[in-house]
Amino acid sequence: MSSKIFTVKYVDFTLRLGYLPYFMSIPDSQSSVTVARITALRAELARHDVLYYLQANPEITDFQYDQLRRELNTLLGGLPGAVAAGGETPGDDRAEGFAKVQHRAPMLSLDNVYHPGEFAAFITRLQKLLPPGEPLDFVVEPKIDGLAVSLTYEHGRLTRAVTRGNGAVGDDITRNVGTIASLPSALEGDAPERIEIRGEIYMTNAEFLRINAEREAAGLPLYANPRNLAAGTVKLLNPAETAVRKLEIVLYGFGFCEPADAFASLSAFHAALVRWKLPAVEFFKKASGADAARDAIEQLDRLRRDFTYPTDGAVVKLDSLPAQALAGATSKFPHWAIAYKFAPEQAGTRLRAITLQVGRTGAITPVAELEPVELAGTTVSRATLHNADEIARKDIREGDFVVVEKAGEIIPQVVRVVAEKRDAGIAPFDFAARLTELGLDAVRPEGEVVWRLKTPTREQQIRRLAHFASKQCLDIENFGQAVAGALVEAGLANRPCDLYGVSKNQLLGLDKFADKSADNLLSALEASKRRELWRLIHALGIPNVGMQTAKDLARHFKVLDALAAAGYGDFRRRLVGKKGQELKDEESIVNGVGVVVAQSIITWFSDPEHRDLVEKLRTAGLNFSGEGMGSAAGALAGKTFVLTGTLSALGREEAREKIEAAGGRVSGSVSAKTDYVVAGEEAGSKLTKAVELGVPVLDEAGLLALLAGEGEGKGERREEAERRKPVQTELF
Ligand code: IVH
C-alpha cells in the first residue's frame, strides 16, 4: 500500500477544536455565546494548566495551548500578538509541600508572535512607545523550553532558588537546584550585593531519552517532552530523587538588583554572566533594527537543533535598560520584548497499524506504526498514542491519514486524524477487542487510564514488595529493590504477606545474605509489624492512595477493618438542601478523598486476592489499628493545628510531619476546635480568622518550642514573633 506523504508547517486547529479562528470571533461583550466560550476556554485552560504545571503530563501540544490562550485573550479584548491588559497569562506552577517566596521584582511573562506580520506589529507598537529617534537596538536569544527560575545571589553566593509561581510568589526549590552540578554556588569575581538572576531549568534531550527508556522498560507512562520532565523533577519533594535525574540550567536575565545601576544593558549583563562562570545562553546576538533582528531569528532557527536545550522560539529584547524602562510593561508582559515562536514541525502520513506494547510491569501502551516520514531532521515511523482514551478522543483508526508532530522536538505524537482522507469502511479502533485478539488478559482498574495485564510480572512483584517495605510505607530497613528481587527470583516471596514467613535458613540460602544480614532483615520485619496504621494503608498499594491520603484514612477510620468495610457513603456524602431535598453536589467526609479515590479504595478491597492479602497480614501479626499518627502520648497528642503563610525555616511538609509525629493533627481550615494556628510570612485569611476566633497563633519558633515539650507558655504569639528576626537557615 503506497501513500502520499504531505508536509504541513501550519495546521489549523480551530476546526478540530470546534471554535472560530480569532479573526472571526470579534468580541461582543453582550453575547452570551461569547461569555459561554470564555467560560469554557477558562475551564479548558485551567485543566491544561494542571496537567502541564502540576502533573507534568500535558494532553495537548504547546502550540495548541497557545492557540486556546490566544482565543481567550482575543475574546477578552486583546489583539492577537499584542495581548492587552486584561488578557490572561499562563498558569501557576506552585505546588503543595514547598515554602512560598515572594520575588523582589515580579517575573513577567512574554507575549508571543508566530508570523512576520505579528512581529511587524510588535515593532510598530514599540516605536510608538519610545521617543522619536530612539534606536531599536535589540538582542536576540533562544527561547528555552524549560521551567523559569529566579536565583538570588547575595554577596556572590547563591542563597535561594524560586520558581516563577504566579509571577509574584513562587516555590522555594533551593534544595533541588543545589543538585544541578553545572550551577556554581558562588560567582567568580565582582558581584553586586544582591541580584535575582533569571533563567530556565531544563533537561537535555539525551537525559530525557534515558529516563523515558527506563520508564518504558518499567512499564511506566512516558513523559511527553523534556520540559515536562524537568518541571516534574524540580518539584520532587526529595532532593535525593532530583539528583538522580540530571537537570541543567541556563540564564538570560535579572530582576531585582542592588545596586540598581549595576548594568546599563542586557549585553553588559550577559558579559557578566560569562565572567561569573554562570551558564549563559549560547546564542546571544546584538541586532540593530527590526531587519537585523529578523535575520538573527532566522539564523537561530537554523542552529537551534544543535543546542543542548529544547528551543521553541527566539526572544527579541531591547538591549538598553533605560530604553526598556521607557517602553514599559503591562502587569504581565514587557513591551520591550517578544517571543517569536517557531511553528512546530508537522508531517502527514498514513497510520499502518496500532500495536500494543506490554511494559515490564504489565502496563499496555498503544503505539502508532507509521509509514516513514521526514520530521524535524529524522525519519519517523512510530509515534506514541498514550492510552485507549487518547485513541478514542482523537478517533484514530488503523489506515487513517494522520498529522504527526514532535512534542518538544523529541517524541513524535499523533496530533490529529485528517478525517477528509479517511477511506470509507475503516472501523473505529476497539482497544478491548484487540486485547482479546492478542490473547492479552488485561484489566483497566477503576479510575485509571492504563490497561494492565491481570497476572503480575516478576518486575511488578519486585516493585510491589519494594514499595511495601519503603521508607514511606512499612519502613523495613535495608530492604530495597535488590533484596526484593532476590526473594522473588528465589520464589520465597511473591506477595508482601510472604515476607513474614521467610526463615533464616531460607535467607542464608541466598547469595545476598550472611548470618548477620539475615538476622537484621528478620528483626526489621519484626519491627515493621508494630508500625502506625497509615504506613500499612500506604503499603497496600491501593491506586490513588498516596502517603497523605493514607494518613487521612488512618485518622478517620482508626482500624483497617473499618476502611475495608467502608462503602461510598462512608467517604462522601450528598449535600442536602434547606428543605431537605438532595442536591447534586457531594462533599468528602474524609479529607482529600474524592470520587476517584473512594472508588479506587472500594474496588481494591472488593478483590478477593486483596482481601486474602489483608487476612494474611493480620495473621502475620501486623498492627491494624490506632490513628497511628505518632505516639498517643506525644507532646501534641490530640491537638489540632492549621498551618498558614510561608514557613521559611521548616517548610510546610516538615512542620506537618513533626506535628503528626508528636501526636498532633494538621487541618486545612480554622474553626473554634483548632488548638493552634502556625502563621508564617504573608499569612492571610486563616490568620484573620484565628484572631477573630481567639485561637492561639504561633510562629515557627513557637511551634518548635511546643514540639520540644516546652509548653504553650514558651510558644510565641504573633505580635512578639513579628519583632523577631526571621530564623536563619543554612542553605549550602
Ligand atoms: S525573558 C520580562 N528570555 O519564557 C522578560 N524568557 O513565555 C521575561 N523564557 O516567563 C523573560 N527563554 O520563563 C526570557 N531567553 C529568554 C527566555 C525566556 C525562555 C521563558 C521565561 C518566560 C517565558 C514566557
Side-chain angles (χ1 to χ4, degrees), residues 155-177:
H155 304 288
R157 291 201 66 82
L158 177 60
T159 52
R160 201 162 238 182
V162 183
T163 65
R164 178 180 181 280
N166 65 355
V169 177
D171 279 349
D172 186 334
I173 52 163
T174 315
R175 297 207 304 161
N176 284 351
V177 166

Side-chain angles (χ1 to χ4, degrees), residues 335-503:
H335 290 307
W336 46 265
I338 198 85
Y340 193 112
K341 294 285 231 39
F342 302 123
E345 277 185 58
Q346 300 185 329
T349 185
R350 191 188 285 272
L351 173 85
R352 287 173 169 160
I354 295 174
T355 51
L356 302 185
Q357 259 183 4
V358 183
R360 277 208 266 162
T361 60
I364 297 166
T365 315
V367 176
E369 307 291 344
L370 306 165
E371 301 227 332
V373 60
E374 282 295 307
L375 180 59
T378 54
T379 307
V380 171
S381 56
R382 305 185 89 202
T384 171
L385 290 171
H386 300 293
N387 53 54
D389 282 357
E390 176 88 355
I391 297 178
R393 199 166 58 81
K394 293 181 176 164
D395 188 18
I396 298 169
R397 307 180 186 190
E398 289 178 312
D400 265 340
F401 274 93
V402 292
V403 175
V404 284
E405 175 182 311
K406 276 198 180 174
E409 312 294 339
I410 301 290
I411 297 187
Q413 303 215 12
V414 174
V415 180
R416 66 179 179 115
V417 165
V418 187
E420 315 82 82
K421 298 187 79 159
R422 176 176 285 160
D423 294 341
I426 294 187
F429 185 71
D430 186 337
F431 204 96
R434 179 61 54 89
L435 287 168
T436 315
E437 265 167 51
L438 295 171
L440 296 172
D441 190 13
V443 282
R444 183 177 163 171
E446 193 84 39
E448 283 193 26
V449 289
V450 178
W451 283 81
R452 291 178 188 283
L453 288 188
K454 271 189 195 152
T455 322
T457 61
R458 198 158 269 204
E459 264 65 34
Q460 249 175 322
Q461 289 169 338
I462 295 172
R463 280 173 160 271
R464 202 203 273 179
L465 291 185
H467 169 78
F468 185 84
S470 68
K471 273 226 154 346
Q472 296 190 333
C473 294
L474 286 180
D475 195 12
I476 304 174
E477 250 176 83
N478 298 324
F479 191 109
Q481 202 86 2
V483 173
L487 292 174
V488 171
E489 294 297 331
L492 292 178
N494 295 325
R495 298 194 301 158
C497 51
D498 301 336
L499 294 175
Y500 297 96
V502 176
S503 70

Side-chain angles (χ1 to χ4, degrees), residues 228-311:
N228 293 104
L229 181 49
T233 304
V234 160
K235 291 295 173 84
L236 289 171
L237 286 170
N238 180 357
E241 280 180 49
T242 309
V244 180
R245 300 174 178 179
K246 201 159 170 267
L247 288 173
E248 305 284 347
I249 195 164
V250 59
L251 306 166
Y252 49 69
F254 66 98
F256 177 86
C257 181
E258 206 175 71
D261 59 357
F263 304 102
S265 66
L266 286 178
S267 39
F269 173 71
H270 183 263
L273 285 177
V274 175
R275 265 200 322 277
W276 293 331
K277 301 235 160 34
L278 289 187
V281 278
E282 64 201 85
F283 182 101
F284 183 84
K285 276 260 147 36
K286 284 185 162 211
S288 280
D291 290 343
R294 255 187 298 266
D295 289 347
I297 294 171
E298 276 171 25
Q299 196 186 355
L300 176 61
D301 194 11
R302 285 193 298 275
L303 296 174
R304 68 190 169 111
R305 278 187 202 93
D306 297 331
F307 298 162
T308 50
Y309 34 76
T311 314

Side-chain angles (χ1 to χ4, degrees), residues 90 106-112 140-149 164 198-200 250-254 281 312-317 332-334 336-337 339 341:
M107 289 182 80
L108 297 184
S109 200
L110 287 168
D111 198 0
N112 295 324
V140 180
E141 58 192 32
K143 181 163 193 310
I144 301 109
D145 195 14
L147 179 89
V149 66
R164 178 180 181 280
R198 306 275 163 84
E200 302 282 308
V250 59
L251 306 166
Y252 49 69
F254 66 98
V281 278
D312 59 355
V315 186
V316 180
K317 305 173 182 173
K332 285 144 190 161
F333 307 107
W336 46 265
K341 294 285 231 39

